[in-house]
Amino acid sequence: MSDPELALIFKDDLKETHARQEQLQMRLEAIEAELDGQMNKPIDFDSLHNLLNLIQKALLQADEDEQKVLLQTIVESIHITKESPKRVGRQITKINLHFDFTINASQKIQHFCFLALR
């Protein structure tokens, strides 16, 4: 068989496959747009308040190593002053927290809090 004969045999299949690929690409773009909208959606106050209370209780009952692990999961950065006055030292000016609400991260924090609270 020559190439033109093969092209005729698979022409319809190629058209169907290409059409299916375009449908899937459009669906993927729609899903990505929906996810982007969800990622920018603010978290309700009660959920955040409950999470912070749970973290606070876990921190109070955890040993130093457990506290370090938990804080590393939620503290994104700490900003401190450049100058260090006598008897005062450097001061914390800002703490940025990052809450990862993916399933894996949420399970990790819940598991840690459960262990610390038992």
Side-chain angles (χ1 to χ4, degrees):
M1 282 191 200
S2 66
D3 287 345
E5 291 174 346
L6 287 174
L8 288 173
I9 293 171
F10 293 111
K11 186 176 182 178
D12 291 336
D13 288 341
L14 286 173
K15 283 183 181 179
E16 287 178 28
T17 303
H18 184 69
R20 179 72 176 140
Q21 181 183 9
E22 287 179 351
Q23 286 177 330
L24 291 172
Q25 183 65 35
M26 289 173 50
R27 185 170 176 219
L28 175 63
E29 290 170 5
I31 290 170
E32 287 175 343
E34 184 178 335
L35 283 175
D36 285 343
Q38 291 294 324
M39 294 301 286
N40 295 328
K41 188 177 179 181
I43 300 165
D44 67 283
F45 175 79
D46 291 334
S47 296
L48 182 59
H49 187 263
N50 291 337
L51 175 63
L52 291 175
N53 282 335
L54 183 64
I55 291 171
Q56 180 183 21
K57 288 177 187 175
L59 284 171
L60 291 173
Q61 295 181 9
D63 63 30
E64 287 181 18
D65 290 334
E66 292 171 333
Q67 288 177 355
K68 183 178 177 181
V69 170
L70 180 58
L71 289 172
Q72 285 176 338
T73 62
I74 62 173
V75 174
E76 184 173 299
S77 62
I78 299 174
H79 300 266
I80 56 175
T81 58
K82 291 181 182 180
E83 60 279 344
S84 176
K86 288 185 179 180
R87 296 188 182 166
V88 176
R90 297 170 76 176
Q91 299 289 310
I92 296 173
T93 58
K94 184 178 183 181
I95 299 175
N96 291 322
L97 302 177
H98 173 74
F99 296 101
D100 185 354
F101 286 101
T102 60
I103 292 172
N104 289 338
S106 296
Q107 287 175 344
K108 182 179 177 182
I109 290 174
Q110 288 175 350
H111 177 71
F112 179 82
C113 290
F114 173 75
L115 293 177
L117 293 173
R118 51 182 173 118

